[in-house]
Amino acid sequence: MSVGLIKKILQTTFIIFLLIDVALLSNDVIKLQKELDSATQLTNEKEQEVELLYKELDDLVKINNELQKELKLNNGTPREILKIACEEYKVDYILAVSIARVETGNFTSELFLKYNNLGGLSNDYEWYKYDTLIEGINAYVSMLKLEYIDKGLDTPEKMQPKYCPGKDGEHWISLVRKIMEEEKDGTV
């Protein structure tokens, strides 16, 4: 064999090995690209997870704030909570608190303390029981609004035939009126 032929065979072999190396290197580049794509996808997924976690955190903060507000209300006095409900329902606070004081013995009755029942609310057979003071107050004030105020029964005299019918009606009116005066004067 001639030196020229050997040189050509060596060059061809070198080129073949070089092509094989390039092909292997290309495969490595493709693998690396796939890994990079996978890592990018994982990064995007992690970013989405982080965004979801932040959204969940924001939701939890909102829920916590609502719970704190409710806890604050629950720790408030019946008068404070009643005042907020009256503002919300647009019911005269003086009238509502005066009736509540009559019905609960100044917030001391068993019905109030055990049932959170502020207005002596019943279905004629049993007293309504409320899980929280807020529920009881909302039931009481919404009942005043819907069953009395919205129907033009906005004074103790107008309310009495429906709210406290019978022989005790006049006494009920005088008690409510007396407490209304105390509330107006601030002598409570």
Side-chain angles (χ1 to χ4, degrees):
M1 248 198 244
S2 75
V3 172
L5 184 61
I6 292 175
K7 226 178 181 184
K8 273 226 184 248
I9 292 174
L10 285 175
Q11 284 176 341
T12 305
T13 305
F14 177 74
I15 290 173
I16 291 173
F17 280 122
L18 191 58
L19 288 173
I20 291 172
D21 279 348
V22 167
L24 291 173
L25 188 57
S26 292
N27 280 343
D28 287 344
V29 167
I30 290 170
K31 281 182 186 174
L32 284 173
Q33 185 61 47
K34 285 181 181 177
E35 287 177 15
L36 182 60
D37 289 345
S38 178
T40 301
Q41 182 179 353
L42 286 174
T43 301
N44 289 340
E45 289 172 3
K46 290 296 179 192
E47 285 176 5
Q48 289 172 349
E49 283 180 37
V50 167
E51 284 178 35
L52 285 174
L53 288 172
Y54 274 116
K55 185 182 179 323
E56 286 179 27
L57 180 62
D58 285 344
D59 291 344
L60 289 172
V61 166
K62 287 176 187 173
I63 290 169
N64 183 55
N65 289 341
E66 289 299 315
L67 288 173
Q68 290 299 327
K69 188 190 309 182
E70 188 171 329
L71 284 173
K72 182 179 177 190
L73 288 176
N74 278 326
N75 290 332
T77 67
R79 291 171 154 286
E80 291 168 339
I81 300 168
L82 182 59
K83 189 169 215 152
I84 292 167
C86 286
E87 288 170 5
E88 191 174 308
Y89 286 101
K90 296 181 180 23
V91 169
D92 178 16
Y93 168 74
I94 299 287
L95 177 64
V97 74
S98 298
I99 294 170
R101 286 180 56 197
V102 168
E103 296 297 329
T104 64
N106 284 319
F107 307 111
T108 62
S109 71
E110 186 174 339
L111 184 63
F112 171 71
L113 296 172
K114 289 187 178 180
Y115 286 55
N116 294 306
N117 189 326
L118 208 66
L121 305 180
S122 73
N123 63 7
D124 292 330
Y125 302 104
E126 61 186 357
W127 301 110
Y128 291 139
K129 183 176 185 176
Y130 302 98
D131 291 331
T132 67
L133 183 57
I134 290 174
E135 281 180 36
I137 288 174
N138 278 326
Y140 167 66
V141 176
S142 67
M143 179 274 305
L144 286 179
K145 173 76 170 152
L146 296 172
E147 297 297 321
Y148 294 90
I149 307 303
D150 287 352
K151 295 178 180 178
L153 307 174
D154 55 0
T155 66
E157 293 76 16
K158 291 178 186 176
M159 297 170 85
Q160 178 271 318
K162 184 176 179 181
Y163 202 100
C164 185
K167 61 181 174 135
D168 292 333
E170 289 300 316
H171 181 63
W172 182 85
I173 291 171
S174 66
L175 287 174
V176 173
R177 280 284 172 204
K178 179 179 181 239
I179 294 173
M180 286 177 77
E181 289 304 314
E182 289 176 7
E183 291 290 335
K184 286 178 188 173
D185 294 340
T187 59
V188 183

